[in-house]
Amino acid sequence: MIKRMIDNYICLIYPVFTLIYFLYVFNDRIRTGVTMTFFLAVGIIGIFALRYIRVSTTEDVVFGIYILYNLISGIWCVAYGMPVSVYAGEVSTTLLPMFLYYAGRGFGDEEAARYYHGFIIAALMMGGIGAVFYIWAPQFYIDFSYVNEFISKADVPTMRVRMNSIIGSGPMGCFVAYSMCASAFFLRRKTRNDKIIGIIYMILSIIFSFMANQRSAMFCIILMLVFFNFVDFTVDRSRPLKYLWMEIAALAALLAGIFIFAREVFDKFWIRLASIPSGFGERAGFWVNVVNRTHNIWLGDGLGSRGHRAAEYQQYIVADGGLVKLYVEMGLIGTSLIIFVVYLVYIKSIKNVSRTVPEIAIITSAILMSIGSNVLEMELCAPIVYFALGRAVRQLKGDGIT
């Protein structure tokens, strides 16, 4: 009874996050970050209470060391001049979500289904709220978006450049990109109802992602759709090849229809996707400056030392580039630890990819989006990634691989 209550609480954390942000629109006294940290911390206590902390695989051991490394890196973060508050803030948004790895390790198929349901519903609720505000465009929402720096000018045309929802277009795009990946969990289940639910989840996630107009998220969705079809038609061979040609024909017809009847929409998304290479060029100079000023290439500068919270205390931070931020904060030692865990998951998934399709999609999307965005320091977006990582380890261990 207690176990089910705690499991359900963990599965409801994401819907609670969405509710917190929705209430914040109407009451700016709500401290979203502090409130989310509280609910997340209670969930982590539950993870410990249920003894989900595992050290039975190489991945478990290395990931545990990685968490510990992040924790103790606060010593040199402060030693290099950052106040304790910067490190403490990063613990709440970056370190705490890592413990969802152990929920992924401990949850069986039914618990995982509830968790993915909760996450996807939360993401789609966020998208639905955003779509309503995007179409309705009430003045109070425009003012809210301007005050929270989602838009640069408090007017309707600026507000409609991207769908910001109530969290900003960056987190929104990331949120629904992960949602699309997670929908594969239900598409790959055997029951017809699960497959229908998976299709609905996937379609809505794709629509909301393109409305958010975040190029990295849109790119990940396109790439993961290719990945899903590769597994279905090449690895599993679970569907006749004719369905692939039907998908391609339907996609071609959809794109042709948009091109002909809504050319401005087609051009808008095409320009965003085509600008991905230039986006790297725009950020490369900042990344080089930060890397060149790292105090210790082996240890790194410590958790939080180069994130947004450090902007008040030093000039060179990584505002957009999660992988670079990881490297300069964790150094070669810490970065190697998490790379090794992900490497083991990928290597073991080569012959067992059918077991880990949604998880590999989420992990890969997180890595790709982390090239140009700090998605792993977003308390709203990070927990699902670590849950997927732990879930992948569990699924691969189920095949007798350790």
Side-chain angles (χ1 to χ4, degrees):
M1 181 66 178
I2 297 297
K3 178 183 183 302
R4 186 172 181 82
M5 287 177 60
I6 296 176
D7 285 346
N8 286 338
Y9 177 89
I10 295 170
C11 294
L12 287 172
I13 285 178
Y14 265 111
V16 169
F17 282 1
T18 296
L19 177 62
I20 291 168
Y21 270 99
F22 182 70
L23 294 175
Y24 174 62
V25 176
F26 305 99
N27 185 353
D28 60 6
R29 290 178 295 179
I30 295 175
R31 300 183 65 185
T32 55
V34 173
T35 310
M36 286 194 301
T37 296
F38 171 78
F39 281 100
L40 185 60
V42 173
I44 292 169
I45 292 172
I47 289 171
F48 276 92
L50 295 180
R51 299 181 181 179
Y52 281 153
I53 307 298
R54 306 294 173 88
V55 288
S56 59
T57 68
T58 303
E59 295 92 326
D60 294 338
V61 174
V62 178
F63 190 77
I65 295 172
Y66 177 67
I67 290 180
L68 182 61
Y69 189 86
N70 273 265
L71 190 61
I72 65 173
S73 72
I75 296 172
W76 48 93
C77 174
V78 175
Y80 289 137
M82 290 298 104
V84 175
S85 60
V86 169
Y87 165 72
E90 201 76 10
V91 166
S92 68
T93 57
T94 301
L95 182 63
L96 287 184
M98 294 180 189
F99 285 93
L100 268 295
Y101 169 93
Y102 296 105
R105 284 289 283 116
F107 279 10
D109 288 348
E110 293 310 310
E111 291 88 356
R114 292 204 301 273
Y115 184 84
Y116 281 137
H117 271 306
F119 169 74
I120 295 172
I121 289 171
L124 297 184
M125 285 172 59
M126 201 77 79
I129 293 167
V132 170
F133 284 145
Y134 183 89
I135 296 168
W136 179 20
Q139 189 59 46
F140 75 85
Y141 173 69
I142 295 173
D143 294 338
F144 166 83
S145 300
Y146 181 74
V147 168
N148 285 276
E149 300 181 349
F150 299 160
I151 55 178
S152 58
K153 188 177 179 182
D155 59 23
V156 175
T158 306
M159 185 273 292
R160 284 182 173 156
V161 171
R162 303 178 189 177
M163 185 183 76
N164 292 290
S165 186
I166 49 180
I167 54 177
S169 62
M172 186 67 243
C174 178
F175 215 19
V176 287
Y178 293 156
S179 174
M180 195 283 292
C181 296
S183 67
F185 179 89
F186 302 100
L187 278 169
R188 300 181 63 79
R189 301 194 93 185
K190 294 181 179 180
T191 68
R192 186 170 181 270
N193 285 342
D194 281 333
K195 292 182 183 296
I196 292 173
I197 289 171
I199 291 171
I200 294 171
Y201 282 166
M202 179 174 287
I203 291 173
L204 290 175
S205 297
I206 293 172
I207 292 172
F208 291 145
S209 177
F210 276 77
M211 288 182 70
N213 199 18
Q214 281 293 315
R215 53 193 172 186
S216 61
M218 292 187 291
F219 174 77
C220 286
I221 280 182
I222 294 169
L223 186 63
M224 291 308 111
L225 287 173
V226 173
F227 170 61
F228 295 159
N229 279 290
F230 171 79
V231 175
D232 284 345
F233 292 104
T234 304
V235 179
D236 293 347
R237 298 182 180 179
S238 57
R239 292 192 288 168
L241 195 58
K242 66 178 183 180
Y243 288 115
L244 177 60
W245 293 113
M246 291 170 62
E247 285 184 25
I248 294 173
L251 178 61
L254 176 63
L255 291 176
I258 295 174
F259 184 82
I260 295 170
F261 300 106
R263 180 64 181 271
E264 69 283 356
V265 175
F266 181 91
D267 290 342
K268 177 180 179 179
F269 294 131
W270 175 253
I271 290 170
R272 287 292 291 166
L273 289 169
S275 68
I276 290 176
S278 64
F280 295 143
E282 293 167 1
R283 295 180 172 97
F286 294 103
W287 296 340
V288 171
N289 285 332
V290 174
V291 171
N292 287 341
R293 287 163 176 79
T294 304
H295 292 92
N296 191 314
I297 193 174
W298 290 99
L299 292 177
D301 287 356
L303 183 65
S305 61
R306 297 291 178 172
H308 290 86
R309 292 180 178 85
E312 184 180 345
Y313 305 98
Q314 62 179 344
Q315 180 180 358
Y316 296 98
I317 65 166
V318 185
D320 297 294
L323 298 185
V324 176
K325 178 178 180 292
L326 170 66
Y327 172 72
V328 296
E329 290 187 351
M330 294 295 103
L332 286 171
I333 295 174
T335 305
S336 297
L337 290 171
I338 189 61
I339 287 176
F340 186 54
V341 175
V342 175
Y343 166 79
L344 289 177
V345 169
Y346 277 132
I347 288 297
K348 293 179 180 182
S349 292
I350 291 175
K351 294 182 179 180
N352 300 274
V353 68
S354 297
R355 290 180 175 270
T356 58
V357 169
E359 290 76 28
I360 290 297
I362 293 171
I363 294 166
T364 304
S365 294
I367 293 171
L368 292 175
M369 285 189 281
S370 290
I371 296 174
S373 303
N374 295 0
V375 294
L376 291 180
E377 72 167 358
M378 297 177 186
E379 192 172 14
L380 183 65
C381 299
I384 182 66
V385 179
Y386 293 109
F387 178 88
L389 185 62
R391 173 75 182 164
V393 173
R394 178 187 175 93
Q395 291 298 94
L396 295 169
K397 186 177 183 297
D399 196 40
I401 302 173
T402 59

